[in-house]
Amino acid sequence: MRYPINYIAITRGFTSSHFGVDFGWNSNNGGPYHDIVAIDDGTVTAVVDGYGNTYPNNRIYGNYVLIDHGNGYSSLYAHALNGSIKVKRGQRVTVGQVLCKMNNSGYSNGNHLHFELRKSGTKIDPLPHLIALPEQKISPNSALLDRIKRGEEVVIKPETADRMRDQIKVNIDNLNIRSNPYLGDNIIGMLQRGIYNVFEQRDMRHEASNGYLWYRIVDDKSVWCAQVNGVDFYKAELPEIVHPPVIEQLEQEISELKQKNTEMIADFKAIMELAKKHI
């Protein structure tokens, strides 16, 4: 999941009393009416618009968009500019699609985006689930700088179970994937729960700083994940090769011909030996 804004300037993080992350603005990077974008593909489940910037008013979120991303995840984008919302309830949206503009509607005393991520209806800290893409700038003055992960997001969809292939089953949410099998390498995306094909294994458990078994999960790209708790590996179960009756018959005939040929050679050698004795 990408960040919901292309200039990342966190002003307030997720706490026990603030169930989301607030993003500020910069006059040289989008200004106070910065575009707000979808963090991932999904379906719009709620839209509220028509509220101005009265502080406070009877709508805490003011104008907002709520999106269902599947797998229990949903995201909310609050305090949007009145009349700026570009999507409708029931509409499918894609990652990075513009939803609305930043503003100050609802219970807010300054232009900002209040962003929430929810799992099965429970509000959770968004930062472990978000990746800053190369085109997204990060403010050097942002709060929680050390928690903003930079990467080029790679999205890999789960496969169906196939006992003819090596596969892993991911039983945890947001498993980091990296461009190389090293913990210090760039995080380029996250895997959700599901089945994924394995094209290569690399055992790095002998390295104290990198002690995992790693799996390459894309055929033609360097995309790796570690076998942490919650990741199970399944070895391909290749079936025993069974020869059709025709092949078995041919093999039997070839074997008989070889036997006859061996006998003929033995007879020929015996005749030659007898001939030598009478010369």
Side-chain angles (χ1 to χ4, degrees):
M1 298 177 181
R2 60 170 290 163
Y3 274 81
I5 192 166
N6 283 334
Y7 185 75
I8 302 168
I10 298 173
T11 58
R12 189 179 181 186
F14 184 94
T15 68
S16 59
S17 60
H18 183 250
F19 303 110
V21 172
D22 289 348
F23 295 89
W25 57 275
N26 178 279
S27 58
N28 296 320
N29 293 278
Y33 306 109
H34 202 298
D35 284 340
I36 308 303
V37 301
I39 62 168
D40 204 349
D41 297 347
T43 301
V44 178
T45 55
V47 170
V48 171
D49 201 356
Y51 289 91
N53 293 344
T54 303
Y55 170 74
N57 65 28
N58 62 343
R59 304 291 300 200
I60 293 176
Y61 291 130
N63 306 312
Y64 69 88
V65 176
L66 181 65
I67 299 175
D68 179 5
H69 300 289
N71 294 318
Y73 286 95
S74 59
S75 58
L76 180 137
Y77 313 76
H79 307 315
L81 177 66
N82 183 19
S84 72
I85 295 178
K86 300 179 180 295
V87 294
K88 298 178 180 179
R89 183 179 178 183
Q91 179 179 337
R92 285 288 299 172
V93 295
T94 57
V95 59
Q97 182 174 336
V98 175
L99 306 173
C100 55
K101 289 186 178 294
M102 177 189 288
N103 202 228
N104 189 30
S105 60
Y107 193 83
S108 167
N109 59 2
N111 280 29
H112 74 285
L113 165 66
H114 174 81
F115 173 77
E116 293 181 1
L117 185 64
R118 302 171 181 180
K119 174 65 173 175
S120 301
T122 300
K123 298 172 185 178
I124 60 175
D125 185 356
L127 295 191
H129 305 267
L130 300 177
I131 291 175
L133 302 185
E135 65 268 23
Q136 294 181 300
K137 295 182 179 180
I138 301 174
S139 168
N141 300 315
S142 174
L144 307 174
L145 263 178
D146 60 329
R147 296 189 58 208
I148 299 175
K149 293 183 287 188
R150 170 71 80 180
E152 182 175 352
E153 187 171 30
V154 175
V155 178
I156 302 174
K157 296 182 179 180
E159 305 282 348
T160 55
D162 184 353
R163 303 307 294 149
M164 299 286 287
R165 311 191 64 150
D166 288 350
Q167 293 185 316
I168 55 171
K169 183 179 181 182
V170 177
N171 303 297
I172 56 177
D173 294 318
N174 302 311
L175 174 65
N176 288 334
I177 52 177
R178 301 176 187 269
S179 54
N180 286 292
Y182 301 99
L183 288 179
D185 218 83
N186 289 336
I187 295 173
I188 56 176
M190 298 178 187
L191 295 182
Q192 300 306 317
R193 294 171 184 259
I195 303 291
Y196 299 88
N197 293 331
V198 172
F199 298 92
E200 182 182 350
Q201 298 182 48
R202 193 168 298 179
D203 193 346
M204 308 296 286
R205 288 174 290 188
H206 60 283
E207 295 188 7
S209 61
N210 197 43
Y212 290 99
L213 184 62
W214 292 80
Y215 301 110
R216 183 166 62 83
I217 55 173
V218 176
D219 186 17
D220 57 349
K221 292 181 180 179
S222 185
V223 178
W224 298 79
C225 70
Q227 187 176 28
V228 297
N229 290 335
V231 177
D232 301 318
F233 174 73
Y234 295 92
K235 182 71 176 172
E237 297 178 356
L238 299 178
E240 182 182 353
I241 298 176
V242 179
H243 296 297
V246 174
I247 295 178
E248 291 181 353
Q249 182 179 348
L250 288 173
E251 288 180 341
Q252 179 64 30
E253 291 177 358
I254 291 171
S255 178
E256 291 174 357
L257 287 173
K258 286 181 178 179
Q259 180 63 32
K260 289 180 180 179
N261 188 46
T262 301
E263 293 173 354
M264 290 175 64
I265 292 173
D267 291 344
F268 179 75
K269 287 182 177 179
I271 293 170
M272 290 295 294
E273 290 298 324
L274 288 172
K276 288 178 182 179
K277 292 179 181 180
H278 292 85
I279 292 176

